[in-house]
């Protein structure tokens, strides 16, 4: 078995892994690198094309697969979940693998289709929608091969672990996850199947090492739900504005937001393109129980005329909007820059149901945003949030259940990956023998 760690092994983003066994190659995820995308948005002269994306390093550099002679052998592309750092690159790269089938859960596929529609990209690859805890056959060069999709929990819905039963043994793709025994939507992780696979033998595990250095089991989404309930219960001023911002892809979080939001007796309105994209996808696959309880507004003109109404009647609405990372052009960014008919006043409320993504670009923009909000007298509640990535103890559990022969940490640079190598060392693995540090574009043979 050969594993090419295409992207996401030197940075947090553009995740992509290629695995070859016999004459079959499978791809796992194909995401965006956000700082690259932001750079590109600020340089419109480069153009939002594959060449432009490659220039700023916004997508995985999959040209390594041409060099290896693997590109024509790719039979399938698996998407683990709907986050852009796992699916955002695929619209621009999938045409390079015309024979490969794209395989994802209903929600992930709906998000991909929505991106394709927005960007007016037409992909000819076949698509296959798979459900959690099912096994599928994929046609290979020499017969069918079994691939299994195992339910896991993270910070968006319908996340899958993928186990490929290759001729060389089981390859297990374990990105992204935390072990949440009380998810707000969907099932708890399928521990039983993980243990069974471990007992039968797993050849190689590629795993989400983002928080391998953090001594914890990441808290359940149920905790975030409690934090939200308190945050919203303590808004007493009936005449001030109430805004909340969170990850648009976090459908379970949005569900809690709406449930407690209803108790404020305000009308709940979702503003912004990315909220529309993800909530629209959830509606499409019948995963949006709060659909009838909210209004969704997507386009700038309608948003502006709605914000005028909020300005005049600020106690009437509860607004959920984009901009928790201080992103340029987001609703919050435009409001604080006074580009909309609504302006924050002293005593208005804003809840950040998010954490700052620990990248310099996000840290800087949030500092600027928070500074302006404070100046405008807004009452802030930040970090009403729990992470979707497991800590060291979640990872230890996964390793104990799967007992993989080989481990490759992913989802970050040395800073994230080295602590997982150290954890593997504690558990008896030997560095460079059966625990491997990789970098983008490298091949590991096991
Ligand atoms: Zn994710």
């Amino acid at each position: 078995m050969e594993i090419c760690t295409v992207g996401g092994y030197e940075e947090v983003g553009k995740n992509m892994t290629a695995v070859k066994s016999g004459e079959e190659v499978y791809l796992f995820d194909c995401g965006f690198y956000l700082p690259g995308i932001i750079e590109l948005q600020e340089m419109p002269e480069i153009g939002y094309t594959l060449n432009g994306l490659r220039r700023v390093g916004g997508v995985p550099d999959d040209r390594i697969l041409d060099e290896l002679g693997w590109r024509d052998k790719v039979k399938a592309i698996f998407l683990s979940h709907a986050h852009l750092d796992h699916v955002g690159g695929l619209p621009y790269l999938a045409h390079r693998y015309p024979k490969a089938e794209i395989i994802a859960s209903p929600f992930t596929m709906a998000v991909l289709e929505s991106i394709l529609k927005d960007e007016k990209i037409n992909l000819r690859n076949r698509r296959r929608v798979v459900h959690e805890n099912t096994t599928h056959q994929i046609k290979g060069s020499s017969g069918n091969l079994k691939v299994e999709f195992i339910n896991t929990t993270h910070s968006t819905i319908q996340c899958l672990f993928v186990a490929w039963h290759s001729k060389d043994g089981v390859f297990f793709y374990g990105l992204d996850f935390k072990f949440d025994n009380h998810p707000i939507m969907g099932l708890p992780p399928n521990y039983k199947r993980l243990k069974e696979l471990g007992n039968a033998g797993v050849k190689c595990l590629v795993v989400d090492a983002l928080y391998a250095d953090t001594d914890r089991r990441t808290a359940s989404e149920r905790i975030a739900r409690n934090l939200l309930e308190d945050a919203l219960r303590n808004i007493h001023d009936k005449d001030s504005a109430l805004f909340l911002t969170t990850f648009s892809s976090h459908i379970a979080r949005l569900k809690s937001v709406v449930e407690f939001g209803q108790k404020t007796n305000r009308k709940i309105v979702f503003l912004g393109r990315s909220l529309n994209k993800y909530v629209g996808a959830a509606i499409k696959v019948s995963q949006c129980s709060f659909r009838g309880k909210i209004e969704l507004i997507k386009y700038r003109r309608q948003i502006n005329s709605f914000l005028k109404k909020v300005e005049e009647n600020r106690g009437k609405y509860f607004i959920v909007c984009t901009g928790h990372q201080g992103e340029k052009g987001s609703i919050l960014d435009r409001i604080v820059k006074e580009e909309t008919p609504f302006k924050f006043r002293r005593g208005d409320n804003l809840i950040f149901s998010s954490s700052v993504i620990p990248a310099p670009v996000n840290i800087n923009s949030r500092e600027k945003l928070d500074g302006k909000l404070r100046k405008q007298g807004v009452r802030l509640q930040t970090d009403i949030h729990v992470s979707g990535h497991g800590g060291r103890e979640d990872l230890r559990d996964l390793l104990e259940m799967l007992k993989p022969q080989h481990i490759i940490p992913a989802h970050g640079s040395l800073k994230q990956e080295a602590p997982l190598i150290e954890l593997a060392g504690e558990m008896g693995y030997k560095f460079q023998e059966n625990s491997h540090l990789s970098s983008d574009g490298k091949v590991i043979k096991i």
Side-chain angles (χ1 to χ4, degrees):
M1 184 181 288
E2 290 172 82
I3 296 112
C4 177
T5 53
V6 184
Y9 293 81
E10 288 177 26
E11 61 279 297
V12 178
K14 53 171 160 180
N15 295 292
M16 186 173 184
T17 303
V19 184
K20 182 169 176 285
S21 164
E23 282 308 292
E24 327 287 345
V25 176
Y26 288 169
L27 304 182
F28 297 81
D29 285 336
C30 183
F32 261 173
Y33 180 55
L34 200 63
I37 302 302
I38 293 170
E39 202 183 323
L40 195 59
Q41 283 161 350
E42 283 166 5
M43 296 190 295
E45 68 279 6
I46 296 186
Y48 211 81
T49 58
L50 179 53
N51 279 339
L53 287 162
R54 288 214 195 276
R55 244 178 88 181
V56 295
V59 292
D61 193 352
D62 66 335
R63 289 171 291 191
I64 178 70
L65 301 180
D66 298 82
E67 283 170 40
L68 293 167
W70 289 15
R71 180 151 77 98
D72 294 334
K73 297 186 170 79
V74 175
K75 299 288 189 312
I77 304 167
F78 303 103
L79 297 176
S80 60
H81 65 289
H83 284 151
L84 290 182
D85 57 339
H86 294 258
V87 307
L90 192 59
Y92 304 93
L93 293 176
H95 68 274
R96 290 176 23 85
Y97 312 93
K99 288 181 285 178
E101 192 175 2
I102 299 170
I103 301 177
S105 70
F107 178 69
T108 307
M109 194 65 90
V111 169
L112 176 69
E113 300 291 356
S114 155
I115 300 171
L116 292 172
K117 199 173 153 210
D118 280 356
E119 302 298 325
K120 299 187 178 64
I121 296 170
N122 196 1
L123 285 185
R124 292 166 66 183
N125 305 64
R126 274 182 302 137
R127 325 278 161 90
R128 193 190 307 196
V129 167
V130 295
H131 292 272
E132 69 272 25
N133 305 324
T134 59
T135 299
H136 288 250
Q137 301 290 332
I138 291 168
K139 204 165 170 270
S141 307
S142 49
N144 285 345
L145 288 158
K146 196 167 96 173
V147 180
E148 204 176 331
F149 302 93
I150 299 145
N151 175 60
T152 189
T153 45
H154 179 41
S155 47
T156 185
I157 53 171
Q158 297 185 344
C159 302
L160 301 170
F161 282 146
V162 188
W164 173 20
H165 296 255
S166 84
K167 282 187 181 153
D168 296 315
V170 172
F171 172 80
F172 194 101
Y173 187 73
L175 273 71
D176 295 348
F177 83 103
K178 71 171 173 185
F179 284 139
D180 189 342
N181 298 319
H182 308 282
I184 301 299
M185 289 177 70
L187 301 167
N190 188 348
Y191 299 118
K192 181 171 167 272
R193 188 59 195 146
L194 296 179
K195 285 176 197 157
E196 283 167 5
L197 278 166
N199 290 336
V202 170
K203 174 95 175 175
C204 180
L205 167 69
V206 165
V207 66
D208 171 5
L210 189 63
Y211 288 119
D213 68 336
T214 312
D215 289 306
R216 68 170 188 215
R217 254 193 194 91
T218 301
S220 164
E221 180 59 20
R222 192 154 78 174
I223 302 300
R225 189 176 159 83
N226 290 347
L227 294 172
L228 255 179
E229 181 176 17
D230 270 359
L232 281 162
R233 188 180 277 167
N234 290 322
I235 307 287
H236 301 296
D237 185 352
K238 299 265 180 288
D239 300 317
S240 62
L242 173 56
F243 280 68
L244 179 143
T245 181
T246 189
F247 297 94
S248 301
S249 54
H250 206 326
I251 304 299
R253 181 71 53 81
L254 291 168
K255 180 173 182 276
S256 302
V257 166
V258 172
E259 283 171 19
F260 298 120
Q262 283 187 293
K263 298 190 175 156
T264 64
N265 292 320
R266 294 171 182 241
K267 185 174 170 128
I268 307 169
V269 183
F270 282 26
L271 298 186
R273 271 182 67 185
S274 69
L275 274 164
N276 265 273
K277 182 188 328 195
Y278 282 100
V279 174
I283 291 172
K284 205 169 147 194
V285 300
S286 308
Q287 292 293 318
C288 187
S289 57
F290 53 87
R291 169 185 194 171
K293 297 172 182 134
I294 58 162
E295 190 183 335
L296 271 164
I297 307 180
K298 177 175 182 183
Y299 297 106
R300 188 168 286 206
R301 261 191 39 211
Q302 281 119 305
I303 289 174
N304 280 349
S305 64
F306 168 72
L307 285 172
K308 194 156 176 270
K309 286 202 276 184
V310 181
E311 177 68 32
E312 287 155 7
N313 202 347
R314 50 217 302 130
K316 191 178 169 190
Y317 302 98
F318 172 28
I319 294 121
V320 179
C321 67
T322 56
H324 54 90
Q325 301 296 318
E327 305 94 321
K328 272 195 187 141
S330 63
I331 307 282
L332 275 182
D333 178 58
R334 287 175 48 224
I335 292 177
V336 297
K337 287 182 178 154
E338 307 201 341
E339 290 171 11
T340 74
F342 174 85
K343 287 173 188 54
F344 280 122
R345 278 188 210 154
R346 191 152 296 280
D348 283 342
N349 297 280
L350 172 57
I351 298 167
F352 284 90
S353 188
S354 58
S355 57
V356 183
I357 297 170
V361 51
N362 300 93
I363 295 166
N364 284 338
S365 7
R366 257 303 288 278
E367 265 173 16
K368 279 187 200 153
L369 177 70
D370 291 10
K372 284 180 194 151
L373 288 163
R374 282 193 203 98
K375 241 187 214 163
Q376 293 171 5
V378 182
R379 297 178 67 176
L380 303 179
Q381 296 189 66
T382 60
D383 290 308
I384 308 298
H385 181 68
V386 295
S387 170
H389 293 271
R392 198 176 180 89
E393 292 311 308
D394 297 78
L395 286 159
R396 193 191 304 273
D397 287 350
L398 183 67
L399 264 48
E400 274 174 0
M401 282 185 274
L402 288 178
K403 304 188 279 272
Q405 284 174 38
H406 295 266
I407 297 174
I408 306 171
H411 214 301
S413 61
L414 200 61
K415 185 169 171 270
Q416 286 82 19
E417 293 170 352
L420 191 93
I421 296 288
E422 189 192 286
L423 170 68
E426 275 172 33
M427 298 174 76
Y429 288 85
K430 296 231 166 9
F431 181 49
Q432 287 178 333
E433 213 172 277
N434 56 2
S435 80
H436 312 265
L437 261 182
S438 201
S439 50
D440 292 351
K442 204 175 129 184
V443 178
I444 294 172
K445 280 186 196 172
I446 55 171

